[in-house]
Amino acid sequence: MDYTMFPLSEWAVTIRFSTEVDEAVNEHVHRVTVFLEEQKKEGILDIVPTFSSVMVYYDPLVAGDYEEICKWLRTELKRVGHIKKAAARTVVIPVCYGGEFGPDLQEVARFHGISEEKVISIHSRESYRVYMIGFAPGFAYLGGLSPEIATPRRSTPRTHVPAGSVGIAGSQTGIYPLATPGGWQIIGRTPLALFRPHDPEPSLLRAGDIVQFRPITEEEYRMWDDDHNSSNT
């Protein structure tokens, strides 16, 4: 796949494969990321995938200057095409839709002229691809939302969105791993902890994963939350 390469800063380079958000491009981004992680040479600090690019952060005093990094990357990128596609991991996320957990579910239903139950059915029937992690630690941008429920962001963002909130913004859906301000349309909440800072792998989701949502009742949510809290006491 063709690409362009340019400096992001004095210690980072961007490899851009496209300016569009596309599943095939995003799959290639993750394949390149995994491959470069495996081939990482001394002085490479981090390799970060986005929707259609890969950012490579490096220590110029150890890995070499920009031209040396670009030369290394071009050599490695020639070999990526021979690497088999890795099987994607599927993660099932339980979600309690509506009510206090999904204050914007009614608005999303009204916007499309359908019932709240139909919104839930459409949202939970799809499989979503984690295009990238960003905005907040562990926040997964998920592609694959049906146009039937794609909804613009709120005109006025909230100053506080609870951790675990599941939202819609345009043609994407996502889960807030931490309590933060946000303008997404909140349709539900999961009892799962999406970001666990003390774990070896803090983010539950990682780029390239496939996410499926499973509706649960409020009672199941509270039981799940109680079980989690009791197991950590």
Side-chain angles (χ1 to χ4, degrees):
M1 183 174 289
D2 293 336
Y3 62 88
T4 56
M5 199 179 297
F6 53 89
L8 180 64
S9 70
E10 294 179 353
W11 50 81
V13 58
T14 295
I15 310 167
R16 177 178 291 164
F17 297 98
S18 176
T19 57
E20 304 294 328
V21 178
D22 176 85
E23 185 170 338
V25 172
N26 190 249
E27 166 59 36
H28 189 70
V29 164
H30 297 311
R31 190 181 302 189
V32 167
T33 301
V34 171
F35 181 74
L36 291 179
E37 284 283 359
E38 293 172 348
Q39 309 303 318
K40 188 187 292 184
K41 71 171 189 171
E42 187 178 6
I44 301 298
L45 305 177
D46 203 4
I47 300 171
V48 181
T50 68
F51 288 110
S52 54
S53 303
V54 177
M55 266 77 80
V56 179
Y57 295 84
Y58 61 94
D59 182 345
L61 297 178
V62 179
D65 61 17
Y66 173 74
E67 293 300 330
E68 290 178 85
I69 294 298
C70 288
K71 181 179 179 181
W72 172 72
L73 287 171
R74 291 190 188 99
T75 299
E76 297 302 331
L77 289 171
K78 290 178 183 178
R79 303 167 54 203
V80 173
H82 303 291
I83 307 302
K84 292 183 179 180
K85 176 182 176 180
R89 185 181 67 154
T90 297
V91 181
V92 178
I93 305 291
V95 179
C96 183
Y97 290 93
E100 67 173 286
F101 300 126
D104 298 321
L105 178 61
Q106 185 177 33
E107 172 59 23
V108 172
R110 186 204 62 76
F111 183 85
H112 293 283
I114 58 179
S115 68
E116 294 180 28
E117 291 74 17
K118 185 65 174 178
V119 173
I120 295 170
S121 174
I122 294 170
H123 188 263
S124 59
R125 80 186 180 197
E126 308 291 344
S127 292
Y128 301 92
R129 179 181 180 82
V130 179
Y131 276 141
M132 63 175 282
I133 303 292
F135 164 61
F139 189 102
Y141 288 89
L142 307 178
L145 183 70
S146 170
E148 296 175 85
I149 56 173
T151 310
R153 294 168 181 261
R154 290 171 52 84
S155 56
T156 303
R158 290 184 172 89
T159 58
H160 177 88
V161 177
S165 294
V166 177
I168 290 173
S171 60
Q172 292 189 95
T173 187
I175 314 166
Y176 284 74
L178 304 170
T180 62
W184 292 41
Q185 304 281 357
I186 304 304
I187 62 172
R189 195 184 305 169
T190 178
L192 294 183
L194 274 292
F195 183 67
R196 308 168 228 206
H198 302 296
D199 286 3
E201 191 170 349
S203 177
L204 175 65
L205 299 175
R206 54 183 182 239
D209 283 349
I210 301 299
V211 170
Q212 295 176 340
F213 293 108
R214 178 173 67 84
I216 60 174
T217 65
E218 183 176 339
E219 181 181 7
E220 288 177 298
Y221 178 98
R222 298 197 186 283
M223 288 178 62
W224 196 307
D225 203 36
D226 288 343
D227 288 343
H228 174 74
N229 288 334
S230 63
S231 67
N232 286 285
T233 57

